[in-house]
Amino acid sequence: MEWSDLRVFLAIAREGTLGGAAQKLGKSQPTMGRRLRALEHAVGQTLFQRTGDGFVLTDEGRAVLAHVEHIEDEAMAVQRQLDGQHRELDGPLRISSSDWFGAHLLAPVFADFVKQHPNVVIELLTSQVHFSLPRREADMAFRIQPFVEAEVISRRLMHIPYGVYLRADLDLPIAGDGAGTPLITMDANFSGMPDAVWLKAILPKAHIALRSNNRDVQARMCASGAGLAVLPRPLGDALPSLMRVELGEHPPGRDTFVGYHRDMKRLARLRSLLDLVIERLSD
């Protein structure tokens, strides 16, 4: 068995399809299929059941998965230890954050950082997905919930206030009512977020017109006159066509946390970037 084949096995187990796994590893689907067949031949077992919906682990595959994940943890620990000793300001940094936070708060800081340190290459992943720090899916992550992983060093970065926004030429809603007011809010998967729950409670008779899990999309819909939205103030205040509406109480804000794996604490480029982020954004 080769480690490269085990990485293929892990990617298929996690993604569930050859296409998703191939995209994850930057390989072609035929290559992934060949490497999986080679691994199954090496272990003498069928590791996946092929179905119309994708690849499902067999009992033998589930038994192998636990061991391969342990091998992955050890390999990643070696890589983190080596990377953590690198003291030069060069090389890649992979950063994870939400869409609007990355675009409106992190992007200007990162732009200034790479001007000062042109040998550092920052890759910013904006997604609702939580990329794993222990697995080196990201070197640093920004989240709206505290990190719970024991091996992650984290700190609260800043509090983000939220506001209620409407295009300036539209009628203001009445707090406690909201009849006739179209709302732009989170999609069903995120309907339990504090600001979405608050909006429904403060305007109980309003109707939902549009949903999106992307705050930038919500802001653009709102600026186009499609309805009222609760937005992070750094985003909403930046759009001149939007007016912030007072409804008697402020929507709940959110704290943002930054974290990185403890093995990376001596990585010079990570420490330097984190110091600049804290200097610019920390409250």
Side-chain angles (χ1 to χ4, degrees):
M1 290 183 291
E2 298 181 7
W3 171 234
S4 59
D5 292 342
L6 296 181
R7 291 183 68 232
V8 167
F9 168 78
L10 278 175
I12 297 172
R14 288 166 179 163
E15 300 298 323
T17 65
L18 277 183
Q23 184 176 13
K24 184 82 171 179
L25 296 184
K27 299 181 180 297
S28 68
Q29 288 193 43
T31 297
M32 298 291 285
R34 286 195 300 272
R35 299 319 306 164
L36 175 60
R37 289 193 295 274
L39 178 62
E40 289 183 324
H41 178 75
V43 300
Q45 300 286 348
T46 299
L47 303 178
F48 291 97
Q49 179 183 353
R50 281 71 165 171
T51 73
D53 295 326
F55 283 62
V56 180
L57 284 166
T58 62
D59 289 344
E60 293 79 7
R62 281 191 291 272
V64 169
L65 178 62
H67 294 289
V68 176
E69 286 183 328
H70 179 70
I71 294 171
E72 180 193 41
D73 289 342
E74 293 299 319
M76 291 298 100
V78 170
Q79 187 62 54
R80 287 194 306 268
Q81 287 282 355
L82 294 175
D83 287 346
Q85 304 301 318
H86 190 67
R87 299 184 180 277
E88 299 299 324
L89 287 181
D90 59 28
L93 278 175
R94 192 172 168 91
I95 313 296
S96 166
S97 80
S98 64
D99 43 37
W100 80 268
F101 190 85
H104 294 271
L105 294 182
L106 293 180
V109 179
F110 290 178
D112 288 344
F113 182 83
V114 296
K115 289 176 186 176
Q116 300 171 28
H117 307 291
N119 293 325
V120 176
V121 178
I122 296 177
E123 181 180 3
L124 178 57
L125 309 170
T126 55
S127 171
Q128 301 291 345
V129 175
H130 279 185
F131 291 91
S132 171
L133 295 173
R135 292 198 196 109
R136 290 299 305 280
E137 293 176 351
D139 298 312
M140 185 190 303
F142 296 84
R143 298 179 186 170
I144 57 174
Q145 296 175 339
F147 292 81
V148 297
E149 300 94 332
E151 63 270 46
V152 171
I153 298 173
S154 66
R155 58 162 286 169
R156 176 187 172 279
L157 179 66
M158 64 186 299
H159 178 78
I160 300 171
Y162 279 52
V164 181
Y165 293 88
L166 193 66
R167 200 171 73 178
D169 60 343
L170 299 182
D171 294 334
L172 298 178
I174 300 173
D177 188 328
T181 301
L183 302 181
I184 301 166
T185 188
M186 301 300 294
D187 67 12
N189 290 331
F190 295 92
S191 60
M193 293 188 72
D195 59 280
V197 174
W198 177 89
L199 183 59
K200 185 176 180 180
I202 203 75
L203 297 174
K205 296 182 181 179
H207 65 279
I208 295 176
L210 293 163
R211 293 182 182 273
S212 176
N213 66 346
N214 186 303
R215 296 289 189 182
D216 256 322
V217 172
Q218 292 180 14
R220 297 300 172 185
M221 290 174 174
C222 188
S224 298
L228 176 147
V230 175
L231 301 169
R233 286 195 54 185
L235 172 58
D237 290 352
L239 295 175
S241 60
L242 292 184
M243 171 178 62
R244 190 154 52 89
V245 177
E246 296 293 341
L247 295 178
E249 61 180 86
H250 298 298
R254 303 299 296 266
D255 286 337
T256 294
F257 301 84
V258 57
Y260 57 94
H261 197 279
R262 63 190 177 197
D263 290 345
M264 307 294 284
K265 64 183 178 181
R266 294 188 181 88
L267 185 63
R269 60 184 182 272
L270 185 145
R271 290 298 318 172
S272 184
L273 178 61
L274 179 59
D275 288 344
L276 184 61
V277 168
I278 292 171
E279 177 188 328
R280 295 283 186 86
L281 300 181
S282 181
D283 55 22

